[in-house]
Amino acid sequence: MDSKELRSLFLNYFQEKGHKIVASSSLIPDDDTVLFTTAGMQQFAPYLSSQKNVLEKFQTRHLCSCQKCFRTDDIEEIGDDTHQTFFEMLGNWSIGQDQAGYFKEGAIKYALDFLVNKLGLVKDKFHITIFKGNSFIPKDEEAKEIWERHGITHFHEFGEADNFWGPVSNVGPCGPCSEIHYDRGEEYGCKDCGPNCDYCKRFVEIWNLVFMEYFKNEKGEYEKLKQTNIDTGIGFERLLAILNKENSAYETDLFSDLIKEIEKHATLKYKDDKIAYRIIADHLRGSSFLIGENILPSNTERGYILRRLLRRIIRYARIIDLDLNSIDRLIKVIILKYHHIYPELNQENIVNIFNIEKQKFARTLEKGLKEIEKLTEITPRQAFFLYQTFGFPIEMIKEEANKKGIEIDEKGFKEELKKHQEISRKGAEKKFGKNASEKEIKLHTATHLMHQALRDVLGESVQQMGSSINNERLRFDFSYTKKLSQEQIKEIEDIVNQRIKNGFKVIKEEMSLEKALATGALAFFKEKYKEVVNVYTIKNNNEIYSKEICAGPHIKSSENLGTFKILKESSSGANTRRIRAVIN
Ligand code: SER
């Protein structure tokens, strides 16, 4: 089965069952707190939470789509069997319930009917995950009972991490889910494991059915929605691979024509370096779709992602000796594959943008090569520096080093890379993130203001040593040798409150670490950061008050931030002070 056929089979099936086919929305979502569209439900979020009336807009509660999606978390994993930056998601929705609506029973019935009767998959290979419940939502016995009634026998229970979906950003509709995983058989992994196995890829998730009946509010609480909804999503690439009994989407028609075309213009063949081929193929497709959204290469946000993809194509092209003058031929294959449903892809435009970036990157590479020229040995740390600063892949560093007769400790480099990734992951998980409440977010912004005020009052030697925020207070540790006087404390409070009163906005920008540091953003524990970081700037029309590298989240403006007050200042170890403060 090819991709075109699967897309139509899915959409036609749901159309026959009374669903309206809705065109994919843009890769750039309306909700500007997220970079890209990563799920089919995003365009329907206001209807799922009943802020907007679904019947007025679509004249039906039942919708289906094939949605363009883009994920950036796993760029380094591209090349293995399962990761892609751009992908498509098939989904069906029942938004709100009346006599004609459906909920768990209907969603399960349709999913099984489509997979078994339309696609010919064997029901006994399905393993179903069930939400096991938490302190406020009970175990989903209802879903389990329905699956059982439909002849399913393999079940696995999971908690919030695996079996509760959404919201996409901090706030929005969400709910427990039940996933269909497909068992590819023992030969693909462990003898005795199940879905979400840490060790193997025997089980592949093919369909996620979300029973969307909660709303996560700004305080981080889950409220029951006025209506129940069904939101489902199939990873299109994955399902296509399974239907074709392939290990990976890279072996399906979505990529195989492109890979064949690349082979025509390269010295190494696909079998010689699958990883490089897959990276090039994924990034060519991904960047074509980003350009299709009128995104241009730049150093921030979406433009930075596009720049990164284009530069990685160029680097990996060197590894397989791909002639980049053939770019128009490669893009043409992508256009042929997708143009019938995504007419926004324009060959000339994509090729032009690619070529301009190629020239720019050539200049950066030249600088990096000069850097290597100066070195007489390349330690793992230096290799990592080249990798991070100039974007050299290790293969290229090796190639250049070999020309000079220098050996590279590749294992050492990989350890360095892993260390870096682990630290940045820990950094990201540590404090805030998706689950911060509104109060915590406010205290977080107040922390940035106070941090700058401390530096203004006590001097630039003040460095952040630690920070912790809960719903009541902020706590901030910083380097300083003396106890603060009452006057100093008052001055710090006044500075922060004055800024709040004057009115400011918090602007978030995504940029390379290099650029963030160059523009003077505060950053401590430098090694914790990733290549691309968020910089939060607090400013008003007259003044840029604070600029810090930070994972967020933050409030958008000082309206309603409240009054800042320091409760306590004390010692917290040698040459370290601790402040506890609140906003009311
Ligand atoms: N929103 C769910 C997902 O993205 C189902 O569509 O997996």
Side-chain angles (χ1 to χ4, degrees), residues 40-107:
M41 55 68 69
Q42 265 156 280
Q43 66 167 322
F44 305 126
Y47 308 100
L48 291 161
S49 57
S50 73
Q51 280 159 0
K52 289 190 183 167
N53 186 321
V54 66
L55 292 177
E56 254 169 42
K57 169 82 182 175
F58 298 104
Q59 292 78 49
T60 167
R61 297 185 181 283
H62 301 156
L63 310 170
C64 60
S65 77
C66 174
Q67 173 68 46
K68 300 186 277 187
C69 298
F70 200 95
R71 289 191 185 166
T72 54
D73 346 345
D74 310 307
I75 288 191
E76 300 294 337
E77 315 265 344
I78 307 291
D80 71 2
D81 284 340
T82 50
H83 289 90
Q84 281 105 35
T85 50
F86 171 85
F87 63 99
E88 290 169 278
M89 203 183 272
L90 304 171
N92 62 288
W93 288 267
S94 173
I95 301 185
Q97 249 180 319
D98 53 18
Q99 287 91 336
Y102 61 86
F103 194 43
K104 296 183 189 182
E105 174 88 40

XYZ file of all heavy atoms in Angstrom, residues 40-107:
550
model
N -2.973 16.681 15.582
C -4.128 17.029 14.756
C -5.162 17.858 15.490
O -5.915 18.621 14.873
N -5.220 17.719 16.818
C -6.298 18.394 17.559
C -6.081 19.887 17.737
O -6.986 20.603 18.136
C -6.535 17.740 18.926
C -5.368 17.612 19.877
S -4.711 19.129 20.567
C -6.081 19.597 21.632
N -4.868 20.372 17.455
C -4.581 21.770 17.765
C -5.563 22.744 17.112
O -6.022 23.680 17.740
C -3.137 22.110 17.401
C -2.210 21.980 18.605
C -0.764 21.742 18.226
O -0.382 20.618 17.917
N 0.036 22.781 18.220
N -5.885 22.501 15.859
C -6.808 23.439 15.200
C -8.227 23.332 15.774
O -9.050 24.212 15.558
C -6.805 23.256 13.678
C -7.347 21.948 13.175
C -7.593 21.992 11.651
O -8.028 23.007 11.115
N -7.305 20.883 10.966
N -8.511 22.249 16.503
C -9.861 22.075 17.049
C -9.955 22.422 18.538
O -11.015 22.277 19.138
C -10.333 20.630 16.831
C -10.277 20.199 15.384
C -9.593 19.043 15.003
C -10.901 20.958 14.393
C -9.541 18.652 13.675
C -10.848 20.569 13.054
C -10.162 19.421 12.694
N -8.836 22.848 19.133
C -8.821 23.066 20.589
C -9.972 23.937 21.107
O -10.618 23.573 22.090
C -7.464 23.613 21.023
N -10.294 25.080 20.461
C -11.383 25.900 21.001
C -12.748 25.203 20.959
O -13.625 25.524 21.756
C -11.417 27.126 20.077
C -10.190 27.068 19.251
C -9.666 25.684 19.278
N -12.909 24.265 20.039
C -14.181 23.528 19.954
C -14.206 22.406 20.991
O -15.227 22.121 21.591
C -14.386 22.972 18.536
C -14.220 24.040 17.486
C -13.044 24.171 16.768
C -15.237 24.986 17.275
C -12.871 25.191 15.833
C -15.074 26.016 16.344
C -13.892 26.105 15.629
O -13.737 27.115 14.731
N -13.034 21.799 21.207
C -12.956 20.717 22.192
C -13.239 21.241 23.598
O -13.821 20.551 24.426
C -11.574 20.054 22.136
C -11.297 19.244 20.868
C -9.803 19.003 20.664
C -12.031 17.902 20.904
N -12.829 22.492 23.855
C -13.091 23.034 25.190
C -14.375 23.873 25.197
O -14.629 24.597 26.141
C -11.900 23.871 25.653
O -11.663 24.899 24.715
N -15.159 23.789 24.151
C -16.459 24.454 23.953
C -16.405 25.979 24.049
O -17.405 26.633 24.294
C -17.549 23.871 24.867
O -17.371 24.274 26.183
N -15.204 26.570 23.825
C -15.141 28.033 23.732
C -15.788 28.490 22.426
O -16.315 29.588 22.333
C -13.684 28.507 23.756
C -13.101 28.542 25.142
C -11.582 28.506 25.105
O -10.965 28.454 24.058
N -10.996 28.516 26.299
N -15.694 27.656 21.420
C -16.346 27.971 20.154
C -17.322 26.854 19.803
O -17.128 25.714 20.236
C -15.303 28.107 19.036
C -14.463 29.352 19.156
C -13.651 29.538 17.891
C -12.733 30.736 17.993
N -11.746 30.728 16.893
N -18.292 27.213 18.980
C -19.350 26.273 18.663
C -19.001 25.448 17.413
O -18.890 25.986 16.313
C -20.649 27.061 18.441
C -21.829 26.142 18.255
O -21.727 25.095 17.600
N -22.956 26.520 18.834
N -18.847 24.171 17.620
C -18.397 23.306 16.530
C -19.444 23.196 15.419
O -19.113 23.150 14.232
C -17.974 21.916 17.066
C -19.157 21.142 17.635
C -17.291 21.096 15.986
N -20.734 23.203 15.812
C -21.786 23.040 14.800
C -21.876 24.259 13.885
O -22.082 24.142 12.683
C -23.139 22.781 15.467
C -23.246 21.434 16.190
C -24.595 21.302 16.887
C -23.016 20.287 15.217
N -21.673 25.449 14.489
C -21.696 26.664 13.674
C -20.592 26.639 12.633
O -20.771 27.017 11.483
C -21.467 27.881 14.568
C -22.713 28.685 14.799
C -22.501 29.706 15.894
O -21.424 30.351 15.917
O -23.407 29.828 16.735
N -19.436 26.165 13.058
C -18.284 26.214 12.164
C -18.307 25.071 11.133
O -18.035 25.276 9.963
C -17.018 26.154 13.025
C -15.733 25.931 12.296
C -15.186 27.227 11.724
C -13.905 26.946 10.963
N -13.397 28.115 10.295
N -18.588 23.855 11.603
C -18.441 22.700 10.701
C -19.764 22.014 10.353
O -19.788 21.049 9.602
C -17.496 21.656 11.329
C -16.093 22.165 11.561
C -15.658 22.520 12.835
C -15.200 22.289 10.507
C -14.364 22.986 13.048
C -13.897 22.748 10.711
C -13.489 23.102 11.986
N -20.849 22.451 10.958
C -22.182 21.852 10.749
C -22.233 20.380 11.156
O -23.157 19.654 10.835
C -22.668 21.984 9.288
C -22.971 23.402 8.852
C -21.688 24.161 8.544
O -20.834 23.667 7.823
N -21.529 25.347 9.112
N -21.231 19.897 11.819
C -21.256 18.522 12.342
C -20.280 18.427 13.500
O -19.370 19.256 13.618
C -20.862 17.488 11.265
O -20.600 16.227 11.904
C -19.609 17.890 10.506
N -20.502 17.410 14.346
C -19.566 17.193 15.460
C -18.443 16.249 15.066
O -17.541 15.997 15.825
C -20.311 16.551 16.634
C -21.399 17.403 17.198
C -21.994 16.739 18.426
N -23.073 17.558 18.946
C -22.877 18.662 19.660
N -21.656 19.054 19.950
N -23.904 19.373 20.089
N -18.574 15.670 13.875
C -17.664 14.576 13.512
C -16.702 15.001 12.419
O -17.114 15.305 11.303
C -18.480 13.361 13.070
C -19.397 12.892 14.135
N -20.534 12.173 13.916
C -19.335 13.075 15.473
C -21.129 11.929 15.059
N -20.428 12.467 16.019
N -15.428 14.994 12.755
C -14.420 15.523 11.840
C -13.297 14.508 11.666
O -13.083 13.648 12.532
C -13.822 16.815 12.414
C -14.831 17.867 12.880
C -14.118 18.979 13.648
C -15.591 18.439 11.688
N -12.588 14.621 10.546
C -11.369 13.819 10.388
C -10.383 14.632 9.562
O -10.770 15.559 8.852
C -11.663 12.479 9.721
S -12.365 12.598 8.073
N -9.107 14.304 9.712
C -8.104 15.074 8.968
C -6.817 14.295 8.819
O -6.592 13.286 9.488
C -7.792 16.394 9.688
O -6.943 16.159 10.788
N -5.987 14.793 7.915
C -4.611 14.353 7.823
C -3.805 15.623 8.060
O -3.848 16.549 7.249
C -4.343 13.775 6.429
S -2.612 13.369 6.188
N -3.120 15.694 9.200
C -2.517 16.955 9.648
C -1.001 16.948 9.497
O -0.336 15.996 9.878
C -2.891 17.177 11.129
C -2.215 18.347 11.798
C -2.690 19.689 11.253
O -3.878 19.930 11.077
N -1.733 20.572 10.965
N -0.467 18.045 8.958
C 0.985 18.229 8.919
C 1.474 18.503 10.340
O 0.891 19.340 11.038
C 1.338 19.485 8.115
C 0.908 19.502 6.700
C 1.461 20.739 5.999
C 0.609 21.974 6.235
N 1.014 23.145 5.446
N 2.519 17.840 10.758
C 3.077 18.077 12.087
C 4.596 18.205 11.993
O 5.209 17.724 11.042
C 2.770 16.913 13.030
S 1.019 16.642 13.328
N 5.163 18.823 13.001
C 6.613 19.009 13.000
C 7.110 18.956 14.439
O 6.590 19.646 15.309
C 6.956 20.372 12.384
C 8.374 20.467 11.913
C 8.699 20.213 10.589
C 9.401 20.788 12.798
C 10.011 20.291 10.144
C 10.714 20.869 12.361
C 11.019 20.625 11.032
N 8.097 18.101 14.690
C 8.664 18.007 16.047
C 10.153 18.227 16.019
O 10.834 17.731 15.132
C 8.368 16.634 16.661
C 6.908 16.508 17.010
C 6.587 15.304 17.849
N 5.129 15.273 17.997
C 4.438 14.238 18.445
N 5.061 13.144 18.805
N 3.126 14.304 18.532
N 10.630 18.963 17.003
C 12.054 19.305 16.989
C 12.827 18.662 18.135
O 14.034 18.791 18.206
C 12.240 20.827 17.123
O 11.531 21.247 18.283
C 11.728 21.560 15.920
N 12.133 17.977 19.051
C 12.833 17.455 20.243
C 13.908 16.436 19.879
O 14.887 16.291 20.578
C 11.902 16.769 21.254
C 10.445 17.033 21.023
O 10.143 17.964 20.273
O 9.612 16.304 21.593
N 13.687 15.699 18.813
C 14.572 14.558 18.586
C 15.458 14.719 17.355
O 15.767 13.736 16.703
C 13.745 13.278 18.364
C 12.691 13.067 19.425
O 13.049 13.096 20.598
O 11.529 12.863 19.060
N 15.863 15.934 17.037
C 16.643 16.106 15.798
C 17.869 15.188 15.778
O 18.197 14.600 14.755
C 17.036 17.591 15.583
C 15.787 18.380 15.200
C 18.092 17.727 14.472
C 16.022 19.775 14.704
N 18.493 15.011 16.944
C 19.701 14.174 16.973
C 19.393 12.685 16.737
O 20.283 11.906 16.476
C 20.447 14.333 18.305
C 20.918 15.750 18.613
C 21.991 16.273 17.654
O 22.691 15.445 17.037
O 22.117 17.508 17.522
N 18.130 12.316 16.899
C 17.775 10.897 16.725
C 17.421 10.568 15.277
O 17.244 9.405 14.927
C 16.530 10.529 17.554
C 16.522 11.051 18.957
C 17.044 10.034 19.940
O 17.121 8.850 19.564
O 17.388 10.447 21.057
N 17.265 11.586 14.453
C 16.863 11.326 13.065
C 17.923 10.435 12.425
O 19.115 10.654 12.598
C 16.770 12.641 12.246
C 15.897 13.670 12.933
C 16.314 12.364 10.813
C 14.443 13.378 12.994
N 17.453 9.462 11.681
C 18.396 8.529 11.065
C 18.136 7.117 11.556
O 18.394 6.145 10.862
N 17.595 7.004 12.782
C 17.214 5.662 13.237
C 15.908 5.255 12.535
O 15.447 5.949 11.633
C 17.107 5.614 14.774
C 15.901 6.388 15.296
O 15.130 6.932 14.476
O 15.720 6.454 16.516
N 15.303 4.143 12.984
C 14.133 3.654 12.253
C 12.873 4.494 12.457
O 11.963 4.463 11.637
C 13.811 2.214 12.680
C 14.784 1.226 12.057
O 15.417 1.583 11.046
O 14.910 0.110 12.598
N 12.796 5.214 13.591
C 11.471 5.726 13.956
C 11.299 7.248 14.006
O 10.182 7.709 14.161
C 11.052 5.179 15.344
O 12.129 5.404 16.245
C 10.728 3.720 15.285
N 12.375 8.005 13.902
C 12.190 9.449 14.084
C 12.167 10.231 12.771
O 12.913 9.941 11.860
C 13.301 10.017 14.968
C 13.168 9.606 16.388
N 13.742 8.468 16.883
C 12.501 10.169 17.416
C 13.436 8.347 18.158
N 12.682 9.367 18.506
N 11.294 11.230 12.734
C 11.270 12.199 11.639
C 10.948 13.578 12.215
O 10.299 13.647 13.261
C 10.182 11.845 10.605
C 10.551 10.737 9.638
C 9.850 9.439 9.982
O 8.720 9.457 10.435
N 10.511 8.321 9.786
N 11.384 14.621 11.551
C 11.011 15.969 12.009
C 9.585 16.274 11.526
O 8.688 16.474 12.324
C 11.968 17.049 11.472
O 12.105 16.868 10.065
C 13.309 16.982 12.147
N 9.386 16.258 10.227
C 8.044 16.445 9.683
C 7.346 15.090 9.672
O 7.978 14.072 9.391
C 8.128 16.985 8.249
C 6.789 16.998 7.553
C 5.920 18.061 7.718
C 6.381 15.921 6.764
C 4.675 18.065 7.097
C 5.143 15.916 6.151
C 4.283 16.994 6.317
N 6.086 15.066 9.983
C 5.302 13.836 9.802
C 3.832 14.212 9.688
O 3.461 15.358 9.896
C 5.529 12.854 10.964
C 5.074 13.376 12.303
C 3.842 13.008 12.831
C 5.864 14.250 13.020
C 3.419 13.498 14.058
C 5.443 14.756 14.254
C 4.229 14.367 14.766
N 3.042 13.232 9.330
C 1.607 13.494 9.225
C 0.854 12.681 10.274
O 1.306 11.609 10.672
C 1.109 13.125 7.826
C 1.616 14.061 6.751
C 1.335 13.522 5.358
O 2.112 12.673 4.878
O 0.353 13.937 4.753
N -0.260 13.215 10.697
C -1.077 12.505 11.671
C -2.512 12.401 11.162
O -3.112 13.403 10.770
C -1.045 13.241 13.000
C -1.364 12.335 14.168
S -1.418 13.226 15.724
C 0.266 13.146 16.227
N -3.008 11.181 11.136
C -4.404 10.972 10.761
C -5.236 10.995 12.037
O -4.796 10.478 13.067
C -4.570 9.597 10.093
C -3.701 9.311 8.867
C -3.820 7.841 8.459
C -4.116 10.213 7.713
N -6.414 11.573 11.978
C -7.218 11.605 13.199
C -8.697 11.738 12.927
O -9.112 12.187 11.850
N -9.490 11.297 13.902
C -10.931 11.544 13.839
C -11.399 12.110 15.169
O -10.779 11.858 16.212
C -11.695 10.267 13.480
C -11.535 9.154 14.485
O -10.468 8.550 14.578
N -12.577 8.883 15.269
N -12.444 12.922 15.100
C -12.926 13.618 16.290
C -14.432 13.514 16.416
O -15.149 13.534 15.402
C -12.560 15.120 16.214
C -11.102 15.337 16.427
C -10.476 15.599 17.612
C -10.072 15.257 15.434
N -9.115 15.682 17.415
C -8.840 15.469 16.094
C -10.050 15.008 14.066
C -7.615 15.456 15.434
C -8.829 14.990 13.404
C -7.629 15.217 14.084
N -14.870 13.408 17.658
C -16.280 13.610 17.951
C -16.288 14.679 19.022
O -15.796 14.469 20.137
C -16.907 12.311 18.456
O -18.221 12.563 18.874
N -16.800 15.839 18.668
C -16.667 16.984 19.567
C -18.005 17.262 20.230
O -18.954 17.693 19.587
C -16.154 18.218 18.788
C -14.793 17.865 18.163
C -16.071 19.435 19.709
C -14.085 18.992 17.472
N -18.077 16.971 21.532
C -19.335 17.120 22.257
C -20.242 15.963 21.905
O -20.062 15.297 20.886
N -21.198 15.736 22.775
C -22.058 14.581 22.529
C -23.515 14.998 22.461
O -23.977 15.769 23.277
C -21.923 13.603 23.699
C -21.224 12.332 23.352
C -21.138 11.440 24.575
O -20.885 11.900 25.674
N -21.357 10.168 24.389
N -24.243 14.516 21.484
C -25.701 14.538 21.555
C -26.129 13.161 21.065
O -25.302 12.253 21.026
C -26.311 15.693 20.748
C -25.821 15.699 19.315
O -25.303 14.650 18.868
O -25.950 16.731 18.648
N -27.357 13.004 20.640
C -27.774 11.660 20.241
C -26.846 11.084 19.179
O -26.572 9.903 19.147
C -29.205 11.644 19.687
C -30.266 11.825 20.724
C -30.600 13.304 20.875
O -29.799 14.183 20.578
N -31.812 13.571 21.366
N -26.380 11.981 18.297
C -25.593 11.498 17.169
C -24.114 11.344 17.514
O -23.353 10.771 16.752
C -25.744 12.470 16.005
N -23.692 11.889 18.648
C -22.268 11.893 18.986
C -21.794 10.546 19.482
O -22.573 9.684 19.826
N -20.488 10.381 19.515
C -19.959 9.144 20.097
C -18.848 9.460 21.069
O -18.225 10.517 21.018
C -19.500 8.162 19.024
C -18.384 8.635 18.101
C -17.046 8.483 18.458
C -18.673 9.202 16.851
C -16.017 8.886 17.604
C -17.656 9.604 15.988
C -16.329 9.441 16.374
O -15.321 9.839 15.539
N -18.624 8.514 21.978
C -17.529 8.675 22.937
C -16.679 7.404 22.888
O -16.348 6.927 21.802
C -18.115 8.999 24.327
C -17.100 9.508 25.314
C -16.135 10.452 24.950
C -17.079 9.040 26.629
C -15.191 10.918 25.874
C -16.146 9.497 27.549
C -15.209 10.439 27.168
N -16.358 6.811 24.033
C -15.399 5.702 24.034
C -15.833 4.542 23.145
O -15.040 4.005 22.364
C -15.193 5.206 25.470
C -14.565 6.253 26.355
C -14.298 5.748 27.760
C -13.878 6.920 28.639
N -13.551 6.546 30.008
N -17.095 4.167 23.280
C -17.604 3.015 22.521
C -17.416 3.228 21.010
O -16.884 2.377 20.298
C -19.098 2.823 22.854
C -19.798 1.758 22.054
C -19.680 0.367 22.689
O -19.781 0.272 23.934
O -19.466 -0.604 21.933
N -17.827 4.401 20.547
C -17.759 4.686 19.114
C -16.319 4.745 18.621
O -15.982 4.199 17.561
N -15.466 5.383 19.393
C -14.070 5.555 18.963
C -13.386 4.197 18.851
O -12.646 3.924 17.891
C -13.325 6.439 19.957
